[in-house]
Amino acid sequence: MIKSIIIITLSFVLESNLSNFISINTNFFNTFLVFSSLIIIENILESKESLYMLAIITGLCYDLVFTDRVGYSIITFLLGFIIIKNINKIVKTKFNIIKYIIIIISYRLISYTILLLIGYLSFDALKLLHSIYSSILLNLIYIIMLKTIFLKNKS
């Protein structure tokens, strides 16, 4: 659990400070590092209840710190975490980058769909595609870095 808290805290700090170093208008900056950390935490915590509770608490904290939509990140993190669990069960490959890309795209689709349903956005396929491709590189690097540091002995 301590590793999980360290990862979440690191993710919050990075996400809140990264915009000071990388322009928000660049194609490679579209972070959701806090969500990306859940991909690694799923491999650390054993208890499903702990994982779901951590997703809910992390989503609430994310809403309070970064957004003005309390409840939105709770829902997206929880749904995203359920997708992480299912993709890890379905996709049995040593090439984890494929799983990570599928999870990142799924999270973007969930987020976009929820924002459409609540009327926060109007549908724009180009905006959706931009949000997907602009988030893949940075988040993949972050996930691989976390995996290397915190999951040294796991494949």
Side-chain angles (χ1 to χ4, degrees), residues 23-36:
S23 171
I24 219 110
N25 295 322
T26 181
N27 285 336
F28 300 109
F29 184 78
N30 199 334
T31 65
F32 47 90
L33 300 178
V34 176
F35 175 79
S36 294

Side-chain angles (χ1 to χ4, degrees), residues 23 30-31 52 75 97 104 124 128:
S23 171
N30 199 334
T31 65
Y52 291 125
I75 293 168
I97 292 176
I104 290 167
D124 183 349
L128 174 61

Side-chain angles (χ1 to χ4, degrees), residues 30-97:
N30 199 334
T31 65
F32 47 90
L33 300 178
V34 176
F35 175 79
S36 294
S37 67
L38 292 177
I39 296 169
I40 298 302
I41 290 171
E42 191 271 334
N43 293 302
I44 294 172
L45 293 177
E46 298 294 325
S47 164
K48 275 188 181 179
E49 293 79 21
S50 296
L51 291 166
Y52 291 125
M53 188 54 84
L54 187 63
I56 291 168
I57 291 169
T58 303
L60 176 63
C61 292
Y62 194 88
D63 280 336
L64 294 174
V65 172
F66 294 113
T67 73
D68 59 351
R69 302 176 300 262
V70 176
Y72 168 76
S73 293
I74 294 170
I75 293 168
T76 58
F77 281 25
L78 201 51
L79 289 173
F81 179 72
I82 290 167
I83 286 175
I84 291 169
K85 295 287 287 177
N86 289 323
I87 288 173
N88 282 337
K89 287 178 189 174
I90 295 168
V91 180
K92 302 287 186 192
T93 178
K94 296 274 185 202
F95 198 59
N96 287 326
I97 292 176

